[in-house]
Amino acid sequence: MANDRELFIVFGRSRDGGGNNRDGDGDIVTDRRTKEQTRTKKPALYKCILLNDDYTPMEFVVEILKQIFHKPHGEATRIMLHVHQNGMGVAGIYPYEIAETKVRSVEELARESQHPLKCVLEKE
């Protein structure tokens, strides 16, 4: 969390015994006061990137995108084709802990299905 300080200058007068609001020289007294504000930073985001291989079936990749990344069928197919043609593609962008969980889920399902599909994290 970042702390920002705002400077407030308060024009006030000190009270002497006679009820006057001036210092001993007759000048107006100023006080400086700071007010701290706390601002919450947004978490860093990470891309979940699927890597192409020559062995994982396209249908399996589409199912992974639908099941783990909750993509509709059309978008999952588009991402799968992008991965196939370009060697890699972004499946989703999430805060670190969520992205890490999705990467592990992809690799676990791929391993269970005996496919070499890989998914990696990259900071956005």
Side-chain angles (χ1 to χ4, degrees), residues 5-120:
R5 293 179 179 249
E6 292 183 12
L7 179 63
F8 293 97
I9 298 177
V10 179
F11 294 99
R13 297 178 177 153
S14 65
R15 296 186 186 271
D16 60 12
N20 295 326
N21 293 326
R22 300 193 180 272
D23 65 6
D25 297 328
D27 295 329
I28 295 175
V29 176
T30 59
D31 292 331
R32 292 181 185 245
R33 298 180 187 167
T34 58
K35 180 180 178 183
E36 291 189 26
Q37 290 184 343
T38 303
R39 297 187 184 180
T40 305
K41 284 186 179 179
K42 292 186 177 180
L45 297 177
Y46 290 80
K47 299 178 199 174
C48 295
I49 300 175
L50 291 174
L51 304 177
N52 189 41
D53 63 71
D54 294 334
Y55 303 102
T56 305
M58 292 180 181
E59 296 82 15
F60 181 76
V61 176
V62 170
E63 287 305 313
I64 288 286
L65 287 163
K66 288 167 56 177
Q67 183 177 346
I68 294 175
F69 295 98
H70 307 289
K71 302 291 183 185
H73 185 76
E75 187 177 354
T77 301
R78 184 187 57 76
I79 294 170
M80 176 274 301
L81 288 172
H82 181 83
V83 170
H84 181 69
Q85 294 167 352
N86 298 298
M88 66 174 66
V90 177
I93 301 172
Y94 307 95
Y96 181 76
E97 290 82 9
I98 295 171
E100 184 180 38
T101 301
K102 290 188 181 287
V103 166
R104 286 183 183 168
S105 297
V106 167
E107 293 191 344
E108 184 178 309
L109 284 174
R111 188 174 40 255
E112 287 173 3
S113 300
Q114 299 179 344
H115 297 301
L117 181 64
K118 294 290 180 196
C119 187
V120 294

